[in-house]
Amino acid sequence: MLNDANIWKSLTSRARLTLIAGPCVIENAKLCLWVAAALKRTCDRLGIFYVFKSSFDKANRTSAKSFRGPGLEAGLEVLAKVRTQVGVPVLTDIHTEMQAAVAGEVVDILQIPAFLCRQTDLLEAAAVTGKIVNVKKGQFLSPAEMGQVVEKIRSAGGRRILLTERGTTFGYNNLVTDLRSIPIMKKFGCPVIFDATHSVQLPGGSGDKSGGQREFAPVLARAALAAGSHGIFMETHPRPDRALSDGPNMIPLIEMPALLQGLRKVFNAVR
């Protein structure tokens, strides 16, 4: 049953692996329904709790010419369709206080992008909706600094908070993952998710777009689960090399069943 209490109970369970996954950006409804249905079948078979993720607007693309998405209204229509037809919780990112209020009427989890994780007004607006809030740790922050982010949300009434590790800036056009961040952020009393595909992104590494090293995403995902991550965030696409956003770091959809089976084994072993 899709309600906030049941979704939160599943997200905080240490007995069941969580997967947050979908295409980076909403390209069309057909793609989102295809990916969501395929992942739901796999996750149901493996006993993994699944949340569908896709963005209605990629507001921080490297180039002004890059595809950003269908926009708020059309994007939320697609997410509502996924939620109803596939029967899975949905997550999307927001960039303004207005988007928080509108998206909060449709989706189950509001996500604060890494670059906006310290924006007080946005954090408070997300908290006021009463929805679960997932905050991506900024590439420019230490994990300890996320404690102040959590306090901002809690002071605005938010109680159901996820924190997501997604790598730290390492020189130019590169990220490095420090797995100490997982136990550090868990001390704030929030489930910690590991973003395996954005952690292998090469920001701006291809000139007018970001590059990526998708072959390392499974490696880091396994390591994060061994370090105590509650779940994995992972973007996937049937044809990543043709995707309209973040193709180089997304996992081909056909590879997801075998990958998830391996991740579940690591999760169970650690548990």
Side-chain angles (χ1 to χ4, degrees):
M1 184 176 181
L2 292 181
N3 62 53
D4 291 345
N6 286 338
I7 294 169
W8 183 244
K9 183 177 179 180
S10 294
L11 288 170
T12 55
S13 171
R14 293 301 298 154
R16 190 180 184 192
L17 175 62
T18 290
L19 173 70
I20 301 173
C24 178
V25 67
I26 298 172
E27 297 179 14
N28 54 65
K30 181 180 178 180
L31 170 68
C32 291
L33 290 167
W34 177 8
V35 172
L39 291 177
K40 184 178 187 298
R41 286 193 299 270
T42 297
C43 288
D44 284 350
R45 177 171 57 84
L46 296 175
I48 296 172
F49 180 65
Y50 173 53
V51 176
F52 177 80
K53 177 271 167 187
S54 198
S55 301
F56 58 79
D57 181 20
K58 301 299 294 182
N60 63 345
R61 295 301 303 273
T62 302
S63 169
K65 299 178 182 179
S66 297
F67 178 73
R68 288 181 52 168
L72 179 63
E73 184 176 350
L76 290 178
E77 288 181 4
V78 173
L79 292 169
K81 188 175 293 186
V82 169
R83 190 179 190 274
T84 300
Q85 294 187 16
V86 184
V88 294
V90 294
L91 172 153
T92 198
D93 34 2
I94 55 172
H95 310 89
T96 68
E97 297 93 291
M98 179 276 291
Q99 289 179 357
V102 176
E105 296 294 323
V106 177
V107 305
D108 301 286
I109 305 174
L110 296 173
Q111 180 168 282
I112 309 299
F115 285 127
L116 300 177
C117 71
R118 288 182 56 170
Q119 296 298 106
T120 303
D121 290 344
L122 181 59
L123 294 169
E124 291 177 346
V128 167
T129 67
K131 292 294 182 178
I132 299 167
V133 180
N134 180 39
V135 188
K136 293 280 196 77
K137 180 182 75 64
Q139 303 94 319
F140 46 88
L141 288 184
S142 68
E145 290 174 273
M146 288 298 287
Q148 299 302 318
V149 173
V150 171
E151 286 306 310
K152 288 181 180 183
I153 297 173
R154 286 177 175 161
S155 67
R159 292 294 178 265
R160 293 175 295 198
I161 307 165
L162 302 173
L163 298 177
T164 295
E165 167 61 42
R166 55 132 312 145
T168 300
T169 300
F170 186 68
Y172 296 123
N173 310 121
N174 201 8
L175 299 170
V176 65
T177 299
D178 181 357
L179 293 177
R180 294 178 297 179
S181 67
I182 293 173
I184 291 172
M185 291 196 293
K186 285 172 71 173
K187 292 180 180 178
F188 305 134
C190 305
V192 175
I193 306 296
F194 179 69
D195 183 342
T197 46
H198 283 108
S199 291
V200 298
Q201 190 180 58
L202 302 175
S206 297
D208 63 348
K209 58 185 178 182
S210 292
Q213 297 175 309
R214 71 169 70 104
E215 66 271 23
F216 294 121
V219 178
L220 292 180
R222 290 191 291 268
L225 290 175
S229 174
H230 283 72
I232 297 296
F233 179 111
M234 188 173 287
E235 291 183 334
T236 181
H237 193 285
R239 293 180 290 272
D241 293 335
R242 298 183 184 180
L244 299 182
S245 178
D246 275 4
N249 47 275
M250 282 200 283
I251 303 296
L253 184 61
I254 196 171
E255 296 179 9
M256 289 294 286
L259 174 55
L260 291 173
Q261 187 171 7
L263 293 179
R264 186 191 62 169
K265 290 180 179 178
V266 176
F267 179 83
N268 288 342
V270 173
R271 183 189 67 188

